[in-house]
Amino acid sequence: MFLPKLFKVEDFNALITFLKRNPFATVISSHHDVPYASQVPVMVDVVGDEIVLSFHLARPNPQTKTLENNENVLIQFTGAHGYVSSSWYEQEEVSTWNYQAAQLTGECVVLNEDELMEDLKHLTDHFETGDNARTFDTLSEDVLKQAKGVIGYKVKVREAGLKYKLSQNRSDKDYKNIVLNLRESGNQDDNRLADEMEKLRD
């Protein structure tokens, strides 16, 4: 990831919070110079100072053949993002795209059967909430058998980068006008971007 100093976020806790708030990530790998990518929910755990990511793919997914004992798997997380028009600036300038993104690289290994079931429980129980939640312990044996159709993985992260490109280089007047126009767009993604920009400048 290209990380200019102005947009680089070095706070470890901010990175972990970002990953957990944006769990639907892209897993990227390659085999014989052929790239593969899958969008999957990724769970995040911190063990000491180490970040461990876990996910699973359907067995028929061809990317599974590229992941076992792969030392260089890349996982991309994307946060708020949106178009910023140059018409929102006080002076003429180019338009741009604001965004939040994290890229993490590490070694990928296959989970054994017990580890996979524990990871699926962790994933299910994390997202199932409310009075009618279908937590892992409530699932029938027939449903649990479907776990045989997936392969679980974990990635021990070696390198991580978090980038917030949110118009930090603009004046307060431009910054406020960008936020205002994002709010007025009526687009949910634009509104989320405006929220993140307000947090950053505050």
Side-chain angles (χ1 to χ4, degrees):
M1 174 186 281
F2 175 51
L3 275 174
K5 186 175 181 180
L6 184 62
F7 304 139
K8 184 177 182 179
V9 181
E10 299 187 79
D11 185 286
F12 182 80
N13 291 330
L15 171 64
I16 300 304
T17 298
F18 177 82
L19 300 179
K20 290 184 175 183
R21 286 181 178 171
N22 300 282
F24 194 61
T26 304
V27 177
I28 303 165
S29 56
S30 65
H31 183 64
H32 296 312
D33 295 326
V34 178
Y36 293 82
S38 297
Q39 291 77 36
V40 291
V42 176
M43 298 302 294
V44 181
D45 288 302
V46 179
V47 182
D49 294 332
E50 185 177 55
I51 301 172
V52 180
L53 307 176
S54 60
F55 59 94
H56 63 273
L57 298 179
R59 285 187 178 275
N61 186 330
Q63 190 174 7
T64 59
K65 301 184 186 306
T66 74
L67 293 173
E68 185 172 357
N69 299 320
N70 186 330
E71 296 183 357
N72 290 296
V73 171
L74 172 66
I75 302 184
Q76 163 88 41
F77 294 76
T78 303
H81 63 93
Y83 180 74
V84 175
S85 170
S86 61
S87 66
W88 303 342
Y89 301 150
E90 192 172 17
Q91 298 180 349
E92 184 180 11
E93 186 50 276
V94 295
S95 300
T96 191
W97 199 278
N98 277 2
Y99 61 91
Q100 298 173 305
Q103 289 185 354
L104 298 94
T105 305
E107 180 181 3
C108 184
V109 297
V110 177
L111 300 178
N112 63 38
E113 185 177 347
D114 289 340
E115 290 171 332
L116 171 61
M117 296 305 286
E118 185 60 33
D119 195 61
L120 292 174
K121 174 178 171 56
H122 184 32
L123 175 70
T124 303
D125 292 352
H126 177 76
F127 288 106
E128 283 288 340
T129 59
D131 294 337
N132 297 317
R134 288 189 179 271
T135 57
F136 197 79
D137 293 337
T138 68
L139 300 178
S140 68
E141 286 298 321
D142 284 342
V143 169
L144 292 175
K145 286 179 183 177
Q146 294 185 43
K148 295 183 182 298
V150 302
I151 303 175
Y153 302 91
K154 69 177 177 181
V155 174
K156 293 184 178 181
V157 174
R158 183 175 61 253
E159 297 178 22
L162 177 60
K163 183 175 184 178
Y164 286 1
K165 180 184 172 295
L166 300 177
S167 298
Q168 292 96 318
N169 56 330
R170 307 308 307 182
S171 67
D172 284 344
K173 185 172 183 179
D174 281 352
Y175 203 89
K176 290 177 182 177
N177 203 40
I178 293 167
V179 171
L180 178 63
N181 279 274
L182 289 170
R183 290 253 181 254
E184 290 180 344
S185 77
N187 181 291
Q188 194 172 32
D189 290 335
D190 286 347
N191 290 335
R192 185 184 176 201
L193 179 59
D195 289 340
E196 295 301 324
M197 288 185 64
E198 285 186 331
K199 290 178 190 176
L200 185 67
R201 188 55 66 106
D202 287 344

